[in-house]
């Protein structure tokens, strides 16, 4: 506390250009402020202020020191506020805007791992359309965004990204499950579970069907990727999904992912983003680290 008081004295003198004016603002004696300046100058072995007839002016050494002082004061205030929150049971928090499939799988895994290590935290996850995420993150309404194919957006930084494939998803005992790849024509013989028209995966699948003069009507359509995954798990057909939509099921071996020949080279990019302006709070920063690690693991496993 004494150290913080000395830094505030020096900061105020630099702002006011006068010991007397600084002392008046700080409501302390001018002599007390002067003693602090002299003591620090003696410790450093160099003057921090030029003594002019009309007041004080920072020396080159003083400019360096005042930059350090202001950063230290800012960090001190930041830490004090967070300690106060802990004292009042206002725990560190992070808010994440995402899309449905990721909320149920990859993001949930990252946040559960984080909560296991840091139980005194609060996490807010909102599921929404991907096109809304960047604007909300840029505006500061959410700390982070996590979704596929997020567009470039002013004021938003991509912290980590991963390109992923999409294709046919089915249970391991399905007749197509042992294929290394399937053509769209092979899917005519099985119930198709697909996202709504307008979702990139569905639109590119429909385009591939059209180019090959094939017509397939899905038996189940939904904008909920978790719903589509559950239908695939119940052996009610072949689902058209991204690998990461079913990441946990693929790792457990309860579902199989098979590339579709006509969609070769078609990918989606998943990104975790945050606002560019201002420092990222510690807990959102840890969420970014956790998601980045998970994406790196998926990249390493192919």
């Amino acid at each position: 506390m004494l150290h913080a008081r000395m830094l505030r004295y020096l900061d105020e003198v630099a702002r006011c250009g006068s010991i007397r004016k600084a002392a008046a603002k700080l409501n302390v004696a001018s002599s007390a402020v002067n003693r602090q300046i002299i003591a620090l100058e003696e410790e450093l072995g160099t003057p921090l202020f030029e003594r002019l007839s009309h007041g004080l002016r920072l020396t080159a050494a003083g400019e360096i020191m005042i930059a350090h002082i202001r950063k230290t004061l800012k960090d001190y205030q930041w830490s004090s506020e967070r300690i106060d929150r802990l004292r009042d049971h206002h725990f560190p928090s992070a808010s994440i805007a995402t899309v449905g499939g990721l909320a149920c799988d990859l993001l949930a895994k990252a946040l559960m791992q984080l909560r296991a290590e840091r139980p005194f935290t609060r996490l807010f996850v909102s599921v929404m359309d991907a096109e809304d995420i960047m604007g909300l993150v840029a505006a500061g309404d959410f700390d982070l965004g996590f979704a596929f194919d997020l567009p470039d957006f002013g004021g938003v930084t991509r912290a980590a990204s991963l390109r992923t494939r999409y294709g046919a998803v089915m249970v391991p005992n399905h007749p197509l499950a042992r294929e290394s790849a399937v053509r769209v024509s092979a899917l005519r013989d099985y119930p198709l579970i697909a996202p709504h028209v307008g979702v990139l995966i569905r639109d590119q699948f429909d385009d591939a069907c059209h180019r090959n003069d094939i017509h397939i009507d899905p038996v189940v359509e939904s904008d909920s990727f978790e719903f589509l995954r559950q239908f695939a798990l119940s052996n009610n057909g072949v689902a058209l999904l991204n690998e990461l939509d079913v990441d946990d099921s693929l790792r457990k071996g309860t579902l199989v992912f098979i590339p579709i020949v006509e969609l070769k080279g078609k990918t989606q990019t998943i990104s975790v983003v945050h606002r560019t302006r201002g420092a990222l709070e510690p807990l959102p920063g840890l969420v970014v680290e956790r998601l980045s690690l998970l994406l790196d693991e998926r990249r390493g496993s192919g």
Side-chain angles (χ1 to χ4, degrees):
M1 186 63 184
L2 289 172
H3 179 65
R5 184 182 300 121
M6 179 188 72
L7 298 186
R8 284 197 292 271
Y9 285 1
L10 292 167
D11 179 45
E12 199 60 54
V13 171
R15 292 180 189 280
C16 294
S18 162
I19 290 175
R20 181 179 57 78
K21 290 178 181 177
K25 277 196 169 187
L26 293 165
N27 197 28
V28 296
S30 296
S31 57
V33 177
N34 192 45
R35 280 197 302 271
Q36 295 287 355
I37 295 173
I38 292 171
L40 185 56
E41 287 179 328
E42 289 177 351
E43 182 180 337
L44 294 173
T46 187
L48 299 177
F49 293 94
E50 291 182 57
R51 273 70 175 177
L52 307 173
S53 58
H54 56 276
L56 300 182
R57 182 173 63 191
L58 286 167
T59 62
E63 293 283 359
I64 295 171
M65 182 55 62
I66 205 66
H68 166 71
I69 285 171
R70 286 172 181 167
K71 182 179 184 302
T72 302
L73 287 172
K74 184 177 180 181
D75 290 344
Y76 177 82
Q77 182 180 0
W78 182 88
S79 299
S80 296
E81 288 173 356
R82 276 142 192 82
I83 291 171
D84 287 341
R85 289 182 188 177
L86 288 175
R87 188 183 298 119
D88 297 334
H89 306 290
H90 294 158
F91 300 132
S93 64
S95 57
I96 306 104
T98 188
V99 291
L102 296 174
C104 296
D105 205 335
L106 196 63
L107 179 60
K109 181 173 184 178
L111 297 184
M112 284 189 286
Q113 290 175 348
L114 186 61
R115 280 279 302 160
E117 296 171 5
R118 297 172 178 269
F120 297 105
T121 56
R122 301 182 70 196
L123 301 167
F124 303 90
V125 178
S126 294
V127 175
M128 62 187 66
D129 293 334
E131 56 263 29
D132 297 330
I133 290 176
M134 295 298 259
L136 291 169
V137 172
D141 294 329
F142 287 87
D143 296 312
L144 305 174
F146 188 54
F148 291 109
D149 299 324
L150 291 169
D152 291 333
F153 201 97
V156 177
T157 297
R158 294 179 194 273
S161 296
L162 175 68
R163 273 199 320 176
T164 64
R165 303 175 298 171
Y166 41 86
V169 173
M170 61 205 74
V171 292
N173 61 356
H174 192 279
L176 297 177
R178 293 188 179 182
E179 301 291 332
S180 59
V182 296
R183 304 194 73 90
V184 291
S185 57
L187 300 179
R188 289 181 297 188
D189 301 327
Y190 305 97
L192 182 67
I193 304 162
H196 285 317
V197 172
V199 176
L200 180 64
I201 300 174
R202 171 66 183 278
D203 290 349
Q204 294 195 344
F205 177 81
D206 286 352
D207 181 63
C209 288
H210 178 74
R211 283 187 279 105
N212 288 273
D213 198 25
I214 295 170
H215 183 76
I216 305 176
D217 284 324
V219 297
V220 175
E221 296 183 56
S222 175
D223 58 1
S224 168
F225 291 92
E226 174 62 13
F227 182 82
L228 300 177
R229 184 174 73 92
Q230 289 298 331
F231 255 80
L233 281 167
S234 63
N235 197 19
N236 273 292
V238 175
L240 188 62
L241 290 167
N242 187 292
E243 282 181 289
L244 285 184
D245 291 326
V246 290
D247 179 74
D248 192 51
S249 298
L250 296 179
R251 289 175 175 271
K252 290 177 179 177
T254 54
L255 287 174
V256 175
F257 175 88
I258 309 295
I260 296 173
V261 173
E262 289 83 354
L263 299 182
K264 183 179 180 181
K266 303 291 186 182
T267 61
Q268 289 183 287
T269 299
I270 185 172
S271 302
V272 54
V273 300
H274 60 81
R275 193 180 187 188
T276 302
R277 184 162 60 87
L280 195 59
E281 294 280 337
L283 186 62
L286 289 173
V287 176
V288 169
E289 288 180 17
R290 183 68 58 180
L291 287 172
S292 298
L293 285 172
L294 288 177
L295 293 181
D296 283 342
E297 287 175 10
R298 273 60 182 171
R299 183 181 294 108
S301 65

